[in-house]
Amino acid sequence: MKIAIVGTGYVGLITGTCFANAGNDVTCLDIDPKKVKTLRKGKAPFFEPGLSEMMTKSINAGRLHFTDDPTTAYIDANIIFICVGTPTGEDGRCNLSHVMGVADSISDLLDSFDEPPVVVVKSTVPVGTTHNVAERLKGEYSIANCPEFLREGNAIDDFMHPDRIVCGVEDDRAKNLLEKVYAPFISDGHPIFFFDIHSSEMVKYASNAMLACKISFINEIASLCERNGANIERVRTGMCADRRIGNQFFKPGIGYGGSCFPKDTLAVMEMGDDAHAPCLVNTAVHNLNQRQRRWFADRILKHFGGDLSGKKIALWGLAFKPNTDDVRDAPSIDIAQTLIAAGAEVSGFDPEAWETFGEEVPKVDICKDMYETTEGADALIICTEWAEFSSPNFTLLKSLLREPIIFDGRNLYVRAEMAQHGFNYYSVGRPTVELTTA
Ligand SMILES: NC(=O)c1ccc[n+]([C@@H]2O[C@H](COP(=O)([O-])OP(=O)(O)OC[C@H]3O[C@@H](n4cnc5c(N)ncnc54)[C@H](O)[C@@H]3O)[C@@H](O)[C@H]2O)c1
């Protein structure tokens, strides 16, 4: 099958690479010529485990191509996947200008296709957008929606072994082509659903909203635990034994970030307002997430009496989650900025996100070694649960820190052990370990 992918961000590049790996002839189109040049060399512009190796294999096999020229990408394509960004705009609404720009560029070339292409909107879009794309296409085509559920950091495996594929279609051509292109990825028995386009668009937002809701919910319970002397880890264990609740995606912390949950929750609220059906749960989920970040930063400020001038703070974990270098809407950004505004000197470490974070918050001194950040620091703050932070050398850490204080935003450590190691230890939803009472 000849496939065109528009947009080579996380979704487009993974989608194109995995389809090429399955034997298709894939051309990825991006408006950024610099990016295209890098991609042609088999280099991914972001960190994603296993991606560069898979890209190189398919490029060498002649199945994966990159271009910034729409004609080259679209001509003869059986199927075009629109995978461009849909960020929150300055007005707080989902910005669809990239998606509509792509629709126009496809429309300009529709007359030159031998066979009408299937145009698939894969970007996460508000209900009705796929039909708005179709309205801009002048010529013959089939339209479909096929939201993407991959997780950054686990993207290749998620794409190769999806829990489900959801498609919104209106004719058999689109259905048959999507069935064919996804067949290798669901041979292990996972389902492919064919729905109407509006329902397909809604599945994506509803799924992300539900996941965001789980995070805000457990954070709210964590807050209650702290105020009432309970321990959220025990409460969570007790709750999750109920199979109706389950234990996935249900960990307390400093809130969700990234390019999806924050913007998708806002987009659901926007859809609710537009439909005169305000989404009250989603509004609370969003507000709680903001509150969680503020609460964590305030807790640090409070410990130091509100003034951090002359203090040095070490930050471990800058990416919005482990196994990615993506810092879009990462809690670490808000926290670092709050500390800097209060007068602190902040040093940071992340196994992958040093460059991306450095561009966002240049005032943070980025170190190449996790222990280097803590030299002479008055406290260590953990924002992201990278595996390498889970069992550090506590003796070394204590000798490097000026004060043995850890603010753990991801509950990585056992409280009793932290007392033995001699740390003041703040975590989320668990009683604080204070040296005087340890
Ligand atoms: N990042 C994720 O984990 C994830 C997961 C599921 C769904 N999504 C959704 O997928 C969509 C894409 O997200 P992303 O994170 O991959 O975006 P991204 O911002 O990382 O990448 C978008 C790419 O599209 C390119 N682009 C913009 N306009 C273009 C045009 N007219 N022609 C060609 N290329 C163009 C940009 O240069 C950029 O490389 C969004 O709607 C997002 O919500 C993202």
Side-chain angles (χ1 to χ4, degrees):
M1 190 131 29
K2 209 162 179 314
I3 299 174
I5 303 284
V6 195
T8 58
Y10 287 84
V11 168
L13 188 54
I14 301 286
T15 304
T17 304
C18 291
F19 280 154
N21 190 60
N24 298 290
D25 182 359
V26 179
T27 303
C28 298
L29 166 71
D30 205 286
I31 37 163
D32 181 347
K34 245 173 80 187
K35 206 172 191 180
V36 169
K37 232 173 150 182
T38 312
L39 289 165
R40 281 184 179 144
K41 293 181 195 148
K43 281 192 196 153
F46 48 82
F47 172 74
E48 183 62 44
L51 176 59
S52 286
E53 293 82 344
M54 199 186 253
M55 280 172 68
T56 306
K57 196 174 129 210
S58 290
I59 292 171
N60 291 343
R63 289 193 299 261
L64 181 60
H65 320 273
F66 297 96
T67 181
D68 56 1
D69 171 36
T71 312
T72 310
Y74 297 150
I75 286 311
D76 300 332
N78 307 105
I79 185 159
I80 302 172
F81 286 90
I82 302 178
C83 305
V84 295
T86 49
T88 305
E90 272 172 24
D91 56 357
R93 298 176 68 85
C94 181
N95 177 354
L96 294 170
S97 62
H98 301 289
V99 173
M100 295 308 163
V102 175
D104 292 342
S105 74
I106 297 172
S107 185
D108 289 345
L109 292 166
L110 269 183
D111 283 348
S112 356
F113 282 77
D114 288 339
E115 288 277 322
V118 176
V119 178
V120 184
V121 177
K122 194 172 242 326
S123 303
T124 304
V125 291
V127 172
T129 305
T130 304
H131 283 139
N132 295 340
V133 166
E135 275 168 24
R136 291 170 98 112
L137 301 176
K138 309 287 175 231
E140 278 193 73
Y141 62 87
S142 289
I143 190 78
N145 176 265
C146 177
E148 182 51 57
F149 299 96
L150 62 77
R151 294 163 295 171
E152 287 176 25
N154 209 49
I156 299 273
D157 195 50
D158 284 348
F159 197 94
M160 302 298 278
H161 307 285
D163 286 342
R164 79 306 206 182
I165 301 293
V166 174
C167 303
V169 292
E170 297 188 326
D171 60 39
D172 284 344
R173 264 190 76 243
K175 178 174 183 283
N176 294 341
L177 270 185
L178 282 164
E179 216 158 28
K180 200 169 152 193
V181 80
Y182 273 112
F185 304 98
I186 49 168
S187 55
D188 52 2
H190 290 284
I192 181 163
F193 299 117
F194 290 99
F195 300 145
D196 63 280
I197 284 179
H198 282 195
S199 302
S200 168
E201 290 171 326
M202 189 58 107
V203 170
K204 174 65 192 174
Y205 274 128
S207 301
N208 272 3
M210 180 70 220
L211 293 170
C213 182
K214 288 182 89 173
I215 295 173
S216 280
F217 180 85
I218 199 70
N219 282 337
E220 186 171 64
I221 299 297
S223 167
L224 271 185
C225 285
E226 255 184 55
R227 282 167 175 77
N228 291 295
N231 181 327
I232 188 65
E233 297 304 337
R234 294 173 190 161
V235 171
R236 186 179 160 268
T237 304
M239 287 173 73
C240 293
D242 184 330
R243 275 172 295 164
R244 292 169 304 174
I245 297 172
N247 61 5
Q248 295 282 313
F249 229 79
F250 208 47
K251 284 195 148 190
I254 48 174
Y256 57 79
S259 69
C260 291
F261 289 178
K263 90 169 167 57
D264 292 350
T265 315
L266 286 173
V268 171
M269 288 156 60
E270 174 194 326
M271 277 195 285
D273 290 345
D274 288 352
H276 305 292
C279 291
L280 305 182
V281 174
N282 278 279
T283 306
V285 166
H286 169 76
N287 291 339
L288 273 163
N289 197 54
Q290 301 300 102
R291 186 180 85 175
Q292 195 70 1
R293 292 178 184 200
R294 273 198 310 272
W295 161 79
F296 189 67
D298 285 349
R299 151 175 275 188
I300 302 162
L301 289 180
K302 199 170 155 203
H303 177 91
F304 290 103
D307 183 9
L308 293 180
S309 24
K311 301 285 179 203
K312 183 184 166 192
I313 308 286
L315 214 59
W316 279 3
L318 308 172
F320 86 91
K321 68 171 182 177
N323 295 324
T324 180
D325 60 358
D326 197 345
V327 298
R328 288 181 282 185
D329 220 338
S332 58
I333 295 178
D334 282 357
I335 289 162
Q337 280 169 340
T338 306
L339 301 177
I340 290 166
E345 183 194 323
V346 180
S347 56
F349 170 80
D350 190 281
E352 293 294 336
W354 63 87
E355 212 171 323
T356 41
F357 188 87
E359 283 162 18
E360 284 296 322
V361 196
K363 281 193 178 159
V364 170
D365 177 29
I366 304 289
C367 299
K368 284 278 159 85
D369 177 86
M370 62 194 241
Y371 293 106
E372 192 189 330
T373 53
T374 62
E375 277 174 30
D378 295 276
L380 167 64
I381 294 165
I382 298 171
C383 286
T384 317
E385 65 277 33
W386 282 92
E388 40 266 84
F389 303 151
S390 56
S391 44
N393 180 337
F394 285 112
T395 312
L396 175 62
L397 196 54
K398 197 167 172 220
S399 70
L400 291 170
L401 285 165
R402 196 184 300 163
E403 296 287 337
I405 306 168
I406 298 179
F407 294 90
D408 178 0
R410 299 295 174 184
N411 287 4
L412 293 188
Y413 309 130
V414 178
R415 289 174 52 256
E417 288 176 11
M418 296 313 286
Q420 283 161 12
H421 289 304
F423 283 92
N424 280 305
Y425 180 59
Y426 294 85
S427 54
V428 182
R430 303 186 294 179
T432 298
V433 173
E434 289 182 76
L435 286 180
T436 45
T437 57

